[in-house]
Amino acid sequence: MTQIITVTNQKGGVGKTTTASALVCGLHQRGARVLGIDLDPQGNLGFTLGLEIGSGSTAYDVFKGTCTMEEAIASTEYGDVLPSDIMLSAAEVEFTAPRREFMLSDLLTGVRDRYDFVIIDTPPALNILTVNAYVTSTGLIVPMEAEVLSLVGVTQLQETIETVRDAFNPDLKVLGILINKFNGRLTLSKDILELAQEVAGQLDSQVFQAKIHRGVGVAMAPAHGQSVLTYQPDSRPAQDFQEIVDAVAGKRFPRPKPTFKQKYISKFFN
């Protein structure tokens, strides 16, 4: 069965695209068949995974019916990607037909069985694109920074999640809250972690045990068209993200065994 996982938080700048790209890349490294779907009009997921933005068809074209899902999907060395661009920002106004909440679910019908995982990156808003992602998903991952405003964004998701469960997708689960830019030495990070655990309980979920620590490679990787997993695979944030991939992949797709070079670097330089 295909797992469809949406990375979501209505607040921007919390690491949604970084998390989505790490999942796509990490699962692909383990031999899984992966499709990344970019529902953010900024188009950053495709860019992060090495696509040249504006060079082909996008999710907007698929929703408009001017091309098929198969025609718009682009292959990369990290997996397949359905890219996005700024045209998708008109979705709330343009897509008003009945069952518009099921657009993505209906379009995925013809391709979903080709993949083990579909990873969806969402915009920093609770709009029709986000609702489409929730309706088609089996699970949600909610990234947040270890700061108060980011936590507020998580709490505001709860009503939308409950509405989608009641009206469209009763099986929707929150797989976990993922804390980014974590520093366990700071009192604020510790306080936010405790509050996040309370919110996770209200969502019948968890805070992932792995926390993503700060690192320059996380910010630099997109400029090179890469995930941090390939740009700085031995860095602390990359190893943190690999633990999240472990949680998503399960025993079916175990982490590849490290090469001798990777063992050497890990032993002497970390």
Side-chain angles (χ1 to χ4, degrees):
M1 177 182 173
T2 305
Q3 291 189 50
I4 302 177
I5 299 172
T6 288
V7 182
T8 182
N9 189 327
Q10 74 163 10
K11 188 178 185 303
V14 298
K16 290 189 295 295
T17 300
T18 301
T19 302
S21 65
L23 286 170
V24 171
C25 180
L27 291 165
H28 180 74
Q29 287 177 334
R30 298 167 190 230
R33 300 168 298 165
V34 189
L35 171 64
I37 295 180
D38 195 348
L39 291 187
D40 188 343
Q42 296 178 82
N44 288 335
L45 180 62
F47 179 76
T48 300
L49 295 174
L51 289 181
E52 183 179 346
I53 304 303
S55 61
S57 299
T58 67
Y60 176 79
D61 300 311
V62 176
F63 285 141
K64 288 285 288 185
T66 56
C67 74
T68 65
M69 180 78 78
E70 293 93 331
E71 291 170 334
I73 290 173
S75 295
T76 78
E77 60 181 297
Y78 311 109
D80 289 351
V81 180
L82 176 63
S84 175
D85 63 15
I86 195 62
M87 294 297 295
L88 199 56
S89 60
E92 197 73 42
V93 176
E94 288 195 38
F95 305 139
T96 58
R99 284 181 51 88
R100 68 178 191 151
E101 298 86 358
F102 292 89
M103 290 188 300
L104 181 60
S105 180
D106 292 342
L107 290 166
L108 272 174
T109 301
V111 301
R112 64 187 297 168
D113 289 342
R114 302 178 190 177
Y115 299 100
D116 301 299
F117 296 92
V118 176
I119 307 297
I120 305 174
D121 190 19
T122 54
L126 297 177
N127 58 19
I128 190 60
L129 297 172
T130 306
V131 171
N132 263 263
Y134 289 9
V135 168
T136 196
S137 291
T138 54
L140 307 178
I141 290 178
V142 184
M144 59 167 283
E145 288 188 19
E147 52 96 14
V148 175
L149 291 180
S150 186
L151 182 64
V152 171
V154 176
T155 61
Q156 291 173 339
L157 287 176
Q158 186 171 0
E159 183 178 349
T160 302
I161 292 169
E162 291 175 352
T163 298
V164 170
R165 282 173 175 164
D166 291 341
F168 307 114
N169 184 1
D171 298 323
L172 180 64
K173 297 178 180 178
V174 180
L175 301 179
I177 295 173
L178 173 61
I179 299 184
N180 276 314
K181 299 181 180 179
F182 182 76
N183 187 340
R185 295 181 300 236
L186 298 180
T187 300
L188 176 61
S189 289
K190 295 177 182 178
D191 291 344
I192 292 296
L193 175 57
E194 291 182 6
L195 292 171
Q197 289 169 335
E198 292 182 16
V199 174
Q202 296 170 9
L203 295 170
D204 194 23
S205 185
Q206 63 173 337
V207 175
F208 284 110
Q209 184 173 356
K211 315 297 186 296
I212 312 302
H213 292 76
R214 292 178 181 271
V216 175
V218 176
M220 293 296 295
H224 296 268
Q226 297 185 54
S227 160
V228 68
L229 298 192
T230 55
Y231 181 67
Q232 285 189 349
D234 299 302
S235 65
R236 179 65 184 273
Q239 293 306 309
D240 294 338
F241 273 120
Q242 286 287 10
E243 292 187 37
I244 301 302
V245 180
D246 288 340
V248 171
K251 296 180 179 179
R252 186 180 175 195
F253 296 101
R255 193 185 304 197
K257 294 181 179 179
T259 64
F260 175 81
K261 179 180 179 181
Q262 290 170 330
K263 289 180 180 179
Y264 179 87
I265 292 173
S266 177
K267 182 176 181 180
F268 291 98
F269 294 96
N270 286 342

